Amino acid sequence: MADRQLMTGNEAMAEAAIRAGCRTYFGYPITPQNEILEYMAAHLPRAGGTFLQAESEVAAINMCYGAAAAGVRTMTSSSSPGVSLKMEGISYLAGADLPCVILNVARGGPGLGNIAPAQGDYFQATKGGGHGDYRLIVLAPSTAQEAADLAGLAFDLSDQYRVPALILADGMLGQMMEPVALPPHRDPATLPPKPWALTGAKGRDPNYIASFALEPTVLRDLNVRRHARYREIEAREVRWEEVATADAEVLLVAYGTMGRIAKTVVRRGRERGIRVGLLRPITLWPFPYSPIRKLAERVRAVLTVELSAGQMWEDVRLAVEGRCATPFYGEMGGVVPTPSEILTEVMRHV
Amino acid sequence: MERAVVFAGFGGQGVLLAGKILARAGMKAGLEVTWLPSYGPEMRGGTANCTVVLSDEPIGSPIAESPDVVMAMNGPSLDRFESRVAKGGALIINSSLIDRGVGRADVRGILVPANELARELGEPRVANMVALGAVVGALGVVPLAAVKEAMAAELGAKARGNIVALNAEALDLGHAKAEVT
């Protein structure tokens, strides 16, 4: 077994980012993700990077824009209300085709809400929380180990497609500790080159980066090319996990913290002879429509469970398209349903 | 095998640290572990708790509906968690601060005067380690030696003088209280 360290989800994402070659971090404090700032403040300078506590969330995301344009791996993090403040900057990053990693350690909402775990930011993350016709790559870890793994993947995918990547975690995952086997350190100098970056135009034509094109046909063409990349991401990068789906009568669909709790539901259900399985989306965009659709052909019901009023549920129903029943079970405001409560709901559909 | 432990008490009694040490010991013993703190707007003197799950398989829910062992360092913690302990489970009760025992027949109550035993050792702050020793004894899935190692690792650079030895003695005292006689 690889050497494992006991880390919070927040620390695991921060350390994995540094190991992935992140060399600039800009943030502003908010619970329940302050450990990310603390970790970056302590460790990023030692890796030769720059940590800066910005004057606001808006400033932080715009600092990321500048660092990304200069070709440096860059990250910001916040929690729900703070991520709302970043939305203008995220739209600009998308419009300028800049890679950037954004961590949302989500909390109860709307408004100031509370600091308990919640999944009410799904729409904002996956459907374009900012203005304009753009997508983010959205990754949803369910353990501290997966948080570390996906933090590294987020940088790679974001660079490869020049699309900002958002990790949608929640307060529980951010605060809890688990053993984590960390990936090796990667030297930024060995990462794939970024010939488009603003690195000084000595000996070459100047590069131009902006999210601005006054002429409609020019902007249209930029959007068409960007959306072609989105189609490529949808074709190649869908990720999900299946548990006990082979003979399932009821299929749970749940992600993140709810996804891991659903695993306990599956285990307890199977112990009682209930044929329940789980599909856990790992990428929320691109969403695993196709695997859910295939399973919907042969189960009685697809039960979506979320820490929200039913946001991913809309995507699940788009995937199922009436092939079977699509009930929903959720809690809001930071309340986390117990495995027993979910199992009771499963029993109603067997 | 999957076991869950809740550590609860006043902020400042070291319940989060006790949980961290058990989680670290479990990890070193090759188990899967989760450590989930209550992370509300809490302060010294308020209530604090954490849940540790130990398993030989990947852990789903880090929240324990029915913990196998509860360590109650103060009265409010006993009141809050007593009804949730799994049948056949154990309640470690800090009898220095709690003047009642377990009100259930299907749960083993272990009275540990943690503060008094700690004072006898000459270090009142090790009361949490006395109680953790009892937890380890009642739980029976992580060796006490692994817990002592994890304690030394968790205290790390903060441990000066004989602090590690004192904490180890505290663990022994508590562990003896939980041994089935």
Side-chain angles (χ1 to χ4, degrees), chain B residues 88-123:
Chain B
L91 251 167
I92 313 300
I93 297 172
N94 177 14
S95 57
S96 299
L97 299 182
I98 304 170
D99 55 10
R100 72 174 179 93
V102 181
R104 288 172 55 183
D106 57 353
V107 166
R108 183 182 170 210
I110 301 168
L111 302 183
V112 180
N115 295 74
E116 279 138 34
L117 291 172
R119 266 197 298 276
E120 284 168 22
L121 284 174
E123 177 49 88

Side-chain angles (χ1 to χ4, degrees), chain B residues 12-27:
Chain B
Q13 281 185 308
V15 295
L16 300 185
L17 178 64
K20 268 186 206 177
I21 290 170
L22 181 65
R24 185 180 291 277
M27 177 179 75

Side-chain angles (χ1 to χ4, degrees), chain A residues 1 3-6 8 31-32 106 115-117 143 170-172 175-180 257 260-261 263-264 267-268 336-341, chain B residues 2 19-37 39-41 55 57-66 154:
Chain A
M1 195 182 295
D3 187 37
R4 301 190 302 169
Q5 298 185 36
L6 200 57
T8 64
T31 305
I115 60 175
T143 64
D170 64 66
M172 185 181 295
Q175 295 294 318
M176 66 183 285
M177 294 202 302
E178 285 185 284
V180 180
T257 282
R260 72 181 296 158
I261 292 172
K263 287 185 183 177
T264 298
R267 200 192 66 209
R268 289 204 200 153
V336 182
T338 63
S340 316
E341 287 163 354
Chain B
E2 185 165 305
K20 268 186 206 177
I21 290 170
L22 181 65
R24 185 180 291 277
M27 177 179 75
K28 289 292 178 190
L31 297 172
E32 296 301 326
V33 300
T34 58
W35 175 87
L36 176 69
Y39 66 93
S55 177
E57 286 176 57
I59 295 165
S61 174
I63 304 171
E65 291 184 83
S66 314
E154 194 67 45

